[in-house]
Amino acid sequence: MINNQFKKGELYSFITGKASTAIARRLQKNFKETGIEITIEQWSVLYHLWKEDGQSQQQLCEATFRDKPSITRLVDNLEKSKLVKRVASKNDRRSNLIFLTKEAKALEQKTMDVANRTLNEALEGVTNGQIEIAKEVLQMVYDNLK
Amino acid sequence: MINNQFKKGELYSFITGKASTAIARRLQKNFKETGIEITIEQWSVLYHLWKEDGQSQQQLCEATFRDKPSITRLVDNLEKSKLVKRVASKNDRRSNLIFLTKEAKALEQKTMDVANRTLNEALEGVTNGQIEIAKEVLQMVYDNLK
DNA sequence: ATCATATAGTTGTTTATGCAACTATACAAA
DNA sequence: TTTGTATAGTTGCATAAACAACTATATGAT
């Protein structure tokens, strides 16, 4: 019986992810107020493309922890918004490489500023030591289940 | 500049809630394998009704951290599945009180067992001290943003 | 009693997720 | 080469979330 003193009332918030839901809503609100017209899901894809442009959809699946249909449709919508382009891979004709447009590149700094600000709002009053431990726990949970 | 040593690479997981996504997926999978035919969102509503039956939709909004349209449709689907009934309130005719059916009452213990098992899978190798701190941090984040 | 406002719930629209089924291409073994 | 299998991506369907606009009822001020 692992962690058997973990009480039910506490269980609920862990499972339902109220904290990350709250962060996501606030980030979306802050994007909107800053005039940034993307969803946080689209932002999470752009985030990985800013780190490395020209990734395949499969790579984006792994990076964003989403399945293939989700990425297909996020890329569809990002393409409609002129933020990315699909380019067929020359090595492997099954594969699309996704490239940022100029418009998307211009968004990077602005959105990262908003994201950092949002995180500061979220973590106000939390010590760095606490954050480190919370981060470790979330990583362990992810590793246990992924 | 609060928490200014909080690095970008770490930011991403916090915002995207990969850990709670992983827990939610695993719980859904465990429900399915146990023959429990509800979504985790429906379960989160039932969870609060098991604690107190006959709550209004508005109360369920606050309890589950969802907006009114989300609860309207979750209750719609729970009603279709014969798990709850809407009953018009006698005191306030604007308000619906939501009551569990026998079928839903029979689900409580089985789903709570699966949820506890899922949480044990998620938290394997995490100490109770770490869990306590993570829980505090998530609560503070929620309180900062809600 | 009347009127303004607040509250409870519903509906429509867009975006996203999860799952299964599908197409097309690559690759490896015979 | 052929054949079987794995991989990359798409499509269809059901469920859910976010937001705005809406209806109906309640409440408080005059």
Side-chain angles (χ1 to χ4, degrees):
Chain A
M1 202 58 62
I2 299 156
N3 295 310
N4 56 358
Q5 62 253 62
F6 199 73
K7 296 175 206 72
K8 286 180 184 175
E10 303 167 352
L11 171 156
Y12 177 80
S13 291
F14 249 104
I15 289 181
T16 56
K18 279 163 82 167
S20 60
T21 301
I23 291 177
R25 284 186 197 161
R26 179 63 64 91
L27 180 59
Q28 186 71 73
K29 180 170 162 256
N30 287 345
F31 276 166
K32 195 172 186 180
E33 285 174 6
T34 317
I36 298 169
E37 302 255 310
I38 59 176
T39 67
I40 51 167
E41 293 84 1
Q42 292 170 0
W43 177 80
S44 81
V45 172
L46 296 178
Y47 178 89
H48 289 282
L49 292 173
W50 287 320
K51 289 205 294 188
E52 186 190 337
D53 201 8
Q55 293 189 62
S56 69
Q57 294 187 200
Q58 184 57 44
Q59 286 176 300
L60 292 173
C61 288
E62 284 145 25
T64 64
F65 196 40
R66 288 185 168 84
D67 69 357
K68 290 190 291 179
S70 292
I71 290 297
T72 292
R73 279 143 179 158
L74 281 172
V75 171
D76 285 348
N77 284 335
L78 284 166
E79 235 180 359
K80 271 187 221 157
S81 309
K82 312 275 185 208
L83 293 172
V84 305
K85 275 182 308 191
R86 279 181 170 94
V87 177
S89 165
K90 287 174 185 175
N91 307 333
D92 185 341
R93 286 197 298 164
R94 292 170 303 180
S95 168
N96 293 330
L97 304 182
I98 311 302
F99 287 93
L100 295 162
T101 63
K102 274 181 198 170
E103 291 93 317
K105 285 175 186 164
L107 277 181
E108 176 173 8
Q109 194 54 55
K110 208 160 44 154
T111 67
M112 293 307 294
D113 288 347
V114 175
N116 277 298
R117 174 159 58 82
T118 303
L119 224 66
N120 285 340
E121 291 169 18
L123 294 170
E124 191 157 350
V126 184
T127 69
N128 287 305
Q130 287 174 311
I131 292 171
E132 276 310 305
I133 291 170
K135 201 164 62 65
E136 274 172 42
V137 170
L138 296 179
Q139 185 66 48
M140 287 179 80
V141 166
Y142 178 70
D143 290 337
N144 282 338
L145 299 180
K146 71 159 178 254
Chain B
M1 202 59 59
I2 299 156
N3 296 310
N4 57 358
Q5 62 254 62
F6 199 72
K7 297 174 206 74
K8 286 181 184 175
E10 304 167 354
L11 171 156
Y12 178 80
S13 290
F14 248 104
I15 289 180
T16 56
K18 280 164 82 168
S20 59
T21 301
I23 292 178
R25 283 185 200 163
R26 177 64 64 90
L27 180 59
Q28 186 70 73
K29 180 170 161 255
N30 287 344
F31 276 166
K32 196 172 186 180
E33 284 175 5
T34 318
I36 298 169
E37 301 255 311
I38 57 176
T39 67
I40 50 168
E41 293 85 1
Q42 291 170 2
W43 176 81
S44 80
V45 172
L46 296 177
Y47 178 89
H48 290 283
L49 291 173
W50 287 320
K51 289 205 294 187
E52 186 190 337
D53 201 8
Q55 293 189 62
S56 70
Q57 295 187 199
Q58 184 56 44
Q59 286 176 300
L60 292 173
C61 288
E62 284 147 25
T64 64
F65 196 39
R66 287 186 168 83
D67 69 359
K68 291 191 291 180
S70 293
I71 290 296
T72 292
R73 280 145 179 159
L74 282 171
V75 172
D76 286 348
N77 284 335
L78 284 166
E79 235 179 0
K80 272 187 222 159
S81 310
K82 311 277 185 208
L83 293 172
V84 306
K85 274 181 310 193
R86 280 181 170 94
V87 177
S89 165
K90 286 173 185 175
N91 307 334
D92 186 340
R93 287 197 299 163
R94 293 170 303 181
S95 168
N96 293 330
L97 304 183
I98 312 301
F99 287 94
L100 295 161
T101 63
K102 276 182 196 168
E103 292 92 316
K105 286 175 186 165
L107 277 182
E108 176 174 8
Q109 194 54 57
K110 210 162 40 156
T111 67
M112 293 307 293
D113 288 347
V114 175
N116 276 299
R117 174 160 58 81
T118 303
L119 223 64
N120 285 342
E121 291 169 18
L123 293 171
E124 192 158 350
V126 185
T127 69
N128 286 306
Q130 287 174 309
I131 292 172
E132 277 310 304
I133 292 170
K135 199 164 62 65
E136 274 172 41
V137 170
L138 296 179
Q139 185 65 49
M140 288 179 81
V141 166
Y142 177 71
D143 290 337
N144 282 339
L145 299 181
K146 71 161 179 251

